[in-house]
Each structure stands twice: as C-alpha cells, then as structure tokens.
Short mmCIF file of all heavy atoms in Angstrom, two decimals:
data_model
loop_
_atom_site.label_atom_id
_atom_site.label_comp_id
_atom_site.label_asym_id
_atom_site.label_seq_id
_atom_site.Cartn_x
_atom_site.Cartn_y
_atom_site.Cartn_z
N GLN A 1 82.94 15.09 131.37
CA GLN A 1 83.35 15.56 130.04
C GLN A 1 82.19 15.54 129.06
O GLN A 1 82.32 15.14 127.89
CB GLN A 1 84.53 14.71 129.52
CG GLN A 1 85.77 14.81 130.41
CD GLN A 1 86.93 14.01 129.87
OE1 GLN A 1 86.77 12.94 129.28
NE2 GLN A 1 88.14 14.53 130.06
N ILE A 2 81.03 15.99 129.54
CA ILE A 2 79.82 16.09 128.74
C ILE A 2 79.48 17.57 128.56
O ILE A 2 79.47 18.33 129.54
CB ILE A 2 78.64 15.36 129.41
CG1 ILE A 2 78.95 13.87 129.58
CG2 ILE A 2 77.35 15.58 128.65
CD1 ILE A 2 77.95 13.14 130.46
N ALA A 3 79.20 17.98 127.36
CA ALA A 3 78.79 19.36 127.12
C ALA A 3 77.40 19.58 127.71
O ALA A 3 76.48 18.78 127.49
CB ALA A 3 78.77 19.65 125.62
N LYS A 4 77.24 20.65 128.46
CA LYS A 4 75.92 20.93 129.03
C LYS A 4 74.93 21.27 127.91
O LYS A 4 75.32 21.81 126.86
CB LYS A 4 76.01 22.08 130.02
CG LYS A 4 76.26 23.43 129.37
CD LYS A 4 76.03 24.59 130.32
CE LYS A 4 76.12 25.93 129.59
NZ LYS A 4 75.81 27.06 130.43
N PRO A 5 73.65 20.95 128.10
CA PRO A 5 72.65 21.35 127.10
C PRO A 5 72.67 22.85 126.88
O PRO A 5 72.79 23.64 127.84
CB PRO A 5 71.33 20.90 127.75
CG PRO A 5 71.72 19.76 128.64
CD PRO A 5 73.06 20.14 129.19
N ILE A 6 72.56 23.26 125.65
CA ILE A 6 72.69 24.67 125.30
C ILE A 6 71.61 25.52 125.95
O ILE A 6 71.81 26.72 126.21
CB ILE A 6 72.68 24.84 123.75
CG1 ILE A 6 73.13 26.25 123.38
CG2 ILE A 6 71.31 24.51 123.17
CD1 ILE A 6 73.37 26.45 121.90
N GLU A 7 70.46 24.92 126.25
CA GLU A 7 69.35 25.69 126.82
C GLU A 7 69.49 25.91 128.33
O GLU A 7 68.73 26.69 128.92
CB GLU A 7 68.01 25.01 126.53
CG GLU A 7 67.78 23.68 127.25
CD GLU A 7 68.33 22.49 126.48
OE1 GLU A 7 69.15 22.69 125.56
OE2 GLU A 7 67.93 21.35 126.82
N TRP A 8 70.43 25.25 128.97
CA TRP A 8 70.61 25.41 130.42
C TRP A 8 71.12 26.81 130.76
O TRP A 8 71.93 27.40 130.02
CB TRP A 8 71.59 24.38 130.96
CG TRP A 8 71.01 23.02 131.20
CD1 TRP A 8 69.78 22.56 130.85
CD2 TRP A 8 71.67 21.94 131.85
NE1 TRP A 8 69.62 21.25 131.23
CE2 TRP A 8 70.77 20.84 131.85
CE3 TRP A 8 72.94 21.76 132.42
CZ2 TRP A 8 71.09 19.60 132.41
CZ3 TRP A 8 73.27 20.53 132.98
CH2 TRP A 8 72.34 19.47 132.98
N ASP A 9 70.67 27.32 131.90
CA ASP A 9 71.22 28.56 132.45
C ASP A 9 72.43 28.29 133.33
O ASP A 9 73.19 29.21 133.67
CB ASP A 9 70.15 29.28 133.29
CG ASP A 9 68.92 29.63 132.48
OD1 ASP A 9 69.07 30.30 131.44
OD2 ASP A 9 67.81 29.21 132.87
N SER A 10 72.61 27.07 133.71
CA SER A 10 73.70 26.64 134.58
C SER A 10 75.06 26.89 133.94
O SER A 10 75.24 26.69 132.73
CB SER A 10 73.53 25.14 134.88
OG SER A 10 74.59 24.66 135.67
N GLU A 11 76.03 27.31 134.76
CA GLU A 11 77.41 27.50 134.32
C GLU A 11 78.33 26.70 135.24
O GLU A 11 78.18 26.70 136.46
CB GLU A 11 77.79 28.98 134.36
CG GLU A 11 76.99 29.84 133.39
CD GLU A 11 77.39 31.30 133.42
OE1 GLU A 11 78.37 31.63 134.13
OE2 GLU A 11 76.73 32.10 132.74
N SER A 12 79.30 26.03 134.66
CA SER A 12 80.18 25.16 135.42
C SER A 12 81.01 25.94 136.44
O SER A 12 81.44 27.07 136.19
CB SER A 12 81.12 24.39 134.48
OG SER A 12 82.05 23.63 135.23
N LEU A 13 81.26 25.29 137.56
CA LEU A 13 82.11 25.87 138.61
C LEU A 13 83.58 25.53 138.42
O LEU A 13 84.44 26.07 139.13
CB LEU A 13 81.65 25.35 139.99
CG LEU A 13 80.20 25.66 140.37
CD1 LEU A 13 79.81 24.89 141.63
CD2 LEU A 13 79.99 27.16 140.58
N TRP A 14 83.88 24.66 137.47
CA TRP A 14 85.26 24.25 137.27
C TRP A 14 86.20 25.42 136.98
O TRP A 14 87.35 25.42 137.47
CB TRP A 14 85.36 23.21 136.13
CG TRP A 14 84.94 21.84 136.55
CD1 TRP A 14 83.67 21.35 136.58
CD2 TRP A 14 85.78 20.77 137.01
NE1 TRP A 14 83.66 20.04 137.02
CE2 TRP A 14 84.95 19.66 137.28
CE3 TRP A 14 87.16 20.64 137.20
CZ2 TRP A 14 85.44 18.44 137.74
CZ3 TRP A 14 87.65 19.43 137.66
CH2 TRP A 14 86.81 18.35 137.93
N PRO A 15 85.81 26.44 136.20
CA PRO A 15 86.75 27.55 135.94
C PRO A 15 87.25 28.24 137.20
O PRO A 15 88.34 28.83 137.20
CB PRO A 15 85.92 28.51 135.07
CG PRO A 15 84.95 27.62 134.36
CD PRO A 15 84.58 26.58 135.38
N TYR A 16 86.47 28.18 138.29
CA TYR A 16 86.89 28.85 139.52
C TYR A 16 88.05 28.14 140.21
O TYR A 16 88.63 28.68 141.16
CB TYR A 16 85.71 28.97 140.49
CG TYR A 16 84.61 29.86 139.95
CD1 TYR A 16 83.38 29.31 139.55
CD2 TYR A 16 84.78 31.22 139.81
CE1 TYR A 16 82.38 30.10 139.04
CE2 TYR A 16 83.79 32.03 139.30
CZ TYR A 16 82.58 31.47 138.92
OH TYR A 16 81.59 32.26 138.41
N THR A 17 88.39 26.95 139.75
CA THR A 17 89.57 26.28 140.32
C THR A 17 90.86 26.99 139.89
O THR A 17 91.91 26.78 140.50
CB THR A 17 89.63 24.80 139.89
OG1 THR A 17 89.69 24.72 138.45
CG2 THR A 17 88.40 24.05 140.37
N ASP A 18 90.77 27.79 138.86
CA ASP A 18 91.89 28.63 138.44
C ASP A 18 91.84 29.92 139.28
O ASP A 18 90.88 30.69 139.19
CB ASP A 18 91.77 28.96 136.95
CG ASP A 18 92.91 29.83 136.43
OD1 ASP A 18 93.72 30.32 137.25
OD2 ASP A 18 92.99 30.03 135.21
N GLU A 19 92.85 30.14 140.09
CA GLU A 19 92.84 31.27 141.02
C GLU A 19 92.72 32.61 140.30
O GLU A 19 92.32 33.61 140.90
CB GLU A 19 94.10 31.25 141.88
CG GLU A 19 94.16 30.07 142.85
CD GLU A 19 95.29 30.20 143.84
OE1 GLU A 19 95.59 31.33 144.25
OE2 GLU A 19 95.87 29.16 144.20
N LYS A 20 93.06 32.67 139.04
CA LYS A 20 92.97 33.92 138.28
C LYS A 20 91.53 34.23 137.88
O LYS A 20 91.20 35.36 137.54
CB LYS A 20 93.84 33.85 137.03
CG LYS A 20 95.33 33.67 137.33
CD LYS A 20 96.12 33.53 136.05
CE LYS A 20 97.59 33.30 136.34
NZ LYS A 20 98.39 33.11 135.09
N ASN A 21 90.64 33.21 137.91
CA ASN A 21 89.26 33.38 137.48
C ASN A 21 88.37 33.61 138.70
O ASN A 21 87.82 32.67 139.26
CB ASN A 21 88.79 32.14 136.70
CG ASN A 21 87.48 32.39 135.98
OD1 ASN A 21 86.82 33.39 136.21
ND2 ASN A 21 87.11 31.49 135.10
N VAL A 22 88.26 34.87 139.11
CA VAL A 22 87.50 35.17 140.32
C VAL A 22 86.34 36.13 140.07
O VAL A 22 85.65 36.52 140.99
CB VAL A 22 88.42 35.77 141.41
CG1 VAL A 22 89.44 34.75 141.86
CG2 VAL A 22 89.11 37.04 140.90
N MET A 23 86.13 36.52 138.82
CA MET A 23 85.12 37.54 138.53
C MET A 23 83.70 37.00 138.63
O MET A 23 82.88 37.47 139.39
CB MET A 23 85.36 38.13 137.15
CG MET A 23 86.64 38.95 137.06
SD MET A 23 86.62 40.37 138.17
CE MET A 23 85.33 41.34 137.40
N GLY A 24 83.40 35.96 137.84
CA GLY A 24 82.05 35.39 137.86
C GLY A 24 80.99 36.37 137.37
O GLY A 24 81.26 37.31 136.62
N ARG A 25 79.76 36.18 137.81
CA ARG A 25 78.64 37.02 137.40
C ARG A 25 78.67 38.36 138.13
O ARG A 25 79.09 38.44 139.28
CB ARG A 25 77.31 36.31 137.68
CG ARG A 25 77.10 35.00 136.92
CD ARG A 25 75.79 34.37 137.36
NE ARG A 25 75.43 33.18 136.60
CZ ARG A 25 75.79 31.94 136.95
NH1 ARG A 25 76.56 31.74 138.03
NH2 ARG A 25 75.41 30.90 136.23
N SER A 26 78.11 39.36 137.49
CA SER A 26 78.01 40.68 138.14
C SER A 26 76.82 40.74 139.10
O SER A 26 76.82 41.52 140.05
CB SER A 26 77.85 41.78 137.08
OG SER A 26 76.62 41.61 136.36
N HIS A 27 75.82 39.89 138.85
CA HIS A 27 74.63 39.88 139.71
C HIS A 27 73.87 38.57 139.51
O HIS A 27 74.07 37.86 138.53
CB HIS A 27 73.71 41.07 139.37
CG HIS A 27 73.15 41.03 137.98
ND1 HIS A 27 73.87 41.46 136.88
CD2 HIS A 27 71.95 40.60 137.50
CE1 HIS A 27 73.14 41.32 135.79
NE2 HIS A 27 71.97 40.78 136.13
N LEU A 28 73.02 38.28 140.47
CA LEU A 28 72.14 37.11 140.41
C LEU A 28 70.69 37.59 140.49
O LEU A 28 70.39 38.59 141.14
CB LEU A 28 72.41 36.16 141.58
CG LEU A 28 73.83 35.63 141.78
CD1 LEU A 28 73.89 34.78 143.06
CD2 LEU A 28 74.30 34.83 140.59
N VAL A 29 69.79 36.82 139.88
CA VAL A 29 68.35 37.05 140.01
C VAL A 29 67.76 35.88 140.79
O VAL A 29 67.97 34.72 140.43
CB VAL A 29 67.67 37.18 138.64
CG1 VAL A 29 66.15 37.31 138.80
CG2 VAL A 29 68.22 38.38 137.89
N ILE A 30 67.06 36.18 141.88
CA ILE A 30 66.50 35.12 142.74
C ILE A 30 65.02 35.38 142.98
O ILE A 30 64.54 36.51 142.85
CB ILE A 30 67.26 35.03 144.08
CG1 ILE A 30 67.15 36.35 144.86
CG2 ILE A 30 68.72 34.67 143.84
CD1 ILE A 30 67.76 36.29 146.25
N GLY A 31 64.28 34.32 143.32
CA GLY A 31 62.85 34.47 143.54
C GLY A 31 62.30 33.53 144.58
O GLY A 31 62.96 32.56 144.99
N HIS A 32 61.08 33.81 145.03
CA HIS A 32 60.34 32.95 145.95
C HIS A 32 58.86 33.03 145.59
O HIS A 32 58.36 34.11 145.26
CB HIS A 32 60.53 33.40 147.41
CG HIS A 32 59.75 32.56 148.39
ND1 HIS A 32 60.31 31.48 149.04
CD2 HIS A 32 58.46 32.62 148.80
CE1 HIS A 32 59.39 30.93 149.81
NE2 HIS A 32 58.26 31.60 149.68
N GLY A 33 58.16 31.88 145.68
CA GLY A 33 56.76 31.89 145.27
C GLY A 33 55.80 31.11 146.14
O GLY A 33 54.65 30.93 145.74
N LEU A 34 56.22 30.65 147.34
CA LEU A 34 55.33 29.81 148.15
C LEU A 34 54.50 30.62 149.14
O LEU A 34 53.27 30.51 149.16
CB LEU A 34 56.13 28.74 148.89
CG LEU A 34 55.31 27.78 149.75
CD1 LEU A 34 54.26 27.05 148.91
CD2 LEU A 34 56.21 26.78 150.47
N TYR A 35 55.14 31.42 149.97
CA TYR A 35 54.42 32.20 150.99
C TYR A 35 54.34 33.68 150.63
O TYR A 35 53.52 34.41 151.16
CB TYR A 35 55.08 32.03 152.35
CG TYR A 35 54.89 30.64 152.92
CD1 TYR A 35 55.94 29.73 152.92
CD2 TYR A 35 53.66 30.23 153.43
CE1 TYR A 35 55.77 28.45 153.42
CE2 TYR A 35 53.49 28.96 153.92
CZ TYR A 35 54.54 28.07 153.93
OH TYR A 35 54.37 26.80 154.42
N THR A 36 55.25 34.12 149.78
CA THR A 36 55.20 35.44 149.17
C THR A 36 55.46 35.24 147.68
O THR A 36 55.79 34.13 147.26
CB THR A 36 56.29 36.37 149.75
OG1 THR A 36 57.57 35.75 149.55
CG2 THR A 36 56.07 36.63 151.23
N ALA A 37 55.32 36.30 146.92
CA ALA A 37 55.78 36.28 145.52
C ALA A 37 56.78 37.42 145.40
O ALA A 37 56.40 38.59 145.36
CB ALA A 37 54.61 36.45 144.56
N GLN A 38 58.06 37.05 145.37
CA GLN A 38 59.13 38.05 145.36
C GLN A 38 60.19 37.68 144.33
O GLN A 38 60.42 36.50 144.07
CB GLN A 38 59.81 38.14 146.74
CG GLN A 38 58.94 38.69 147.84
CD GLN A 38 59.70 38.76 149.16
OE1 GLN A 38 60.48 37.87 149.49
NE2 GLN A 38 59.49 39.83 149.91
N ARG A 39 60.80 38.69 143.79
CA ARG A 39 61.95 38.49 142.93
C ARG A 39 62.95 39.60 143.24
O ARG A 39 62.55 40.71 143.59
CB ARG A 39 61.54 38.49 141.46
CG ARG A 39 62.62 37.96 140.53
CD ARG A 39 62.08 37.81 139.11
NE ARG A 39 61.37 36.54 138.93
CZ ARG A 39 60.32 36.39 138.13
NH1 ARG A 39 59.82 37.43 137.48
NH2 ARG A 39 59.74 35.21 138.00
N GLY A 40 64.23 39.29 143.12
CA GLY A 40 65.22 40.30 143.46
C GLY A 40 66.53 40.11 142.74
O GLY A 40 66.73 39.13 142.01
N VAL A 41 67.42 41.07 142.96
CA VAL A 41 68.76 41.07 142.36
C VAL A 41 69.78 41.16 143.48
O VAL A 41 69.65 41.99 144.39
CB VAL A 41 68.93 42.25 141.39
CG1 VAL A 41 70.35 42.27 140.82
CG2 VAL A 41 67.92 42.18 140.27
N VAL A 42 70.79 40.30 143.40
CA VAL A 42 71.88 40.29 144.37
C VAL A 42 73.18 40.67 143.67
O VAL A 42 73.51 40.11 142.61
CB VAL A 42 72.05 38.90 145.02
CG1 VAL A 42 73.22 38.90 146.01
CG2 VAL A 42 70.77 38.46 145.71
N THR A 43 73.91 41.63 144.23
CA THR A 43 75.26 41.94 143.78
C THR A 43 76.20 41.75 144.97
O THR A 43 75.76 41.41 146.07
CB THR A 43 75.39 43.39 143.26
OG1 THR A 43 75.31 44.31 144.36
CG2 THR A 43 74.30 43.70 142.25
N ASP A 44 77.48 41.98 144.77
CA ASP A 44 78.42 41.86 145.89
C ASP A 44 78.03 42.76 147.05
O ASP A 44 78.22 42.40 148.21
CB ASP A 44 79.84 42.20 145.44
CG ASP A 44 80.46 41.12 144.59
OD1 ASP A 44 80.13 39.94 144.80
OD2 ASP A 44 81.28 41.44 143.71
N ARG A 45 77.48 43.91 146.74
CA ARG A 45 77.18 44.89 147.81
C ARG A 45 75.69 45.01 148.11
O ARG A 45 75.32 45.26 149.27
CB ARG A 45 77.72 46.26 147.42
CG ARG A 45 77.50 47.30 148.50
CD ARG A 45 78.12 48.65 148.17
NE ARG A 45 77.86 49.61 149.23
CZ ARG A 45 78.22 50.89 149.19
NH1 ARG A 45 78.86 51.37 148.12
NH2 ARG A 45 77.93 51.70 150.18
N TRP A 46 74.83 44.84 147.13
CA TRP A 46 73.42 45.20 147.30
C TRP A 46 72.49 44.00 147.11
O TRP A 46 72.81 43.07 146.39
CB TRP A 46 73.01 46.29 146.30
CG TRP A 46 73.82 47.54 146.39
CD1 TRP A 46 74.84 47.92 145.56
CD2 TRP A 46 73.67 48.57 147.36
NE1 TRP A 46 75.34 49.12 145.95
CE2 TRP A 46 74.65 49.56 147.05
CE3 TRP A 46 72.83 48.77 148.45
CZ2 TRP A 46 74.79 50.72 147.81
CZ3 TRP A 46 72.97 49.93 149.20
CH2 TRP A 46 73.94 50.88 148.88
N LYS A 47 71.33 44.12 147.74
CA LYS A 47 70.21 43.25 147.39
C LYS A 47 68.97 44.12 147.19
O LYS A 47 68.56 44.87 148.09
CB LYS A 47 69.90 42.19 148.44
CG LYS A 47 68.70 41.32 148.02
CD LYS A 47 68.21 40.40 149.11
CE LYS A 47 69.09 39.18 149.18
NZ LYS A 47 68.57 38.21 150.17
N PHE A 48 68.38 43.98 146.02
CA PHE A 48 67.14 44.67 145.67
C PHE A 48 66.01 43.65 145.65
O PHE A 48 66.15 42.59 145.03
CB PHE A 48 67.27 45.35 144.31
CG PHE A 48 65.97 45.87 143.74
CD1 PHE A 48 65.33 46.95 144.32
CD2 PHE A 48 65.39 45.27 142.63
CE1 PHE A 48 64.13 47.43 143.80
CE2 PHE A 48 64.21 45.73 142.10
CZ PHE A 48 63.57 46.82 142.68
#
C-alpha cells in the first residue's frame, strides 16, 4: 500500500487481477546492449 515513485516507468500488475482489465499496453520497447546494440518494439502481433 505504498504509492510508487512518480518517476518510475513501472506499472502495477494488480489491476490485471480484475478479469475485465485485459487491455494493458499497446506495445513494449525493449533493448540489448552487451553483444549487439539493438532496440525494438513488440506488439501482440509484430516485433520490429
């Protein structure tokens, strides 16, 4: 029962316990920087 810091990008998973709340984000941004330098976008259907 602690409010997350306003600067965090993190979003709580608790709302998903409500079966009506299934939408979530439209896309994710992911990256890697150790052996390659890559960034991409993930959706339900695509990965760029």
Side-chain angles (χ1 to χ4, degrees):
Q1 299 182 324
I2 299 169
K4 70 167 187 176
I6 193 171
E7 68 273 16
W8 279 9
D9 300 305
S10 177
E11 297 181 5
S12 175
L13 301 170
W14 283 85
Y16 296 110
T17 60
D18 180 351
E19 293 189 36
K20 298 177 183 178
N21 192 349
V22 295
M23 292 298 293
R25 297 177 174 91
S26 64
H27 63 278
L28 304 176
V29 175
I30 61 175
H32 178 95
L34 181 58
Y35 290 105
T36 57
Q38 293 181 321
R39 193 172 277 146
V41 178
V42 179
T43 72
D44 286 329
R45 183 176 179 184
W46 302 101
K47 179 189 280 185
F48 169 69

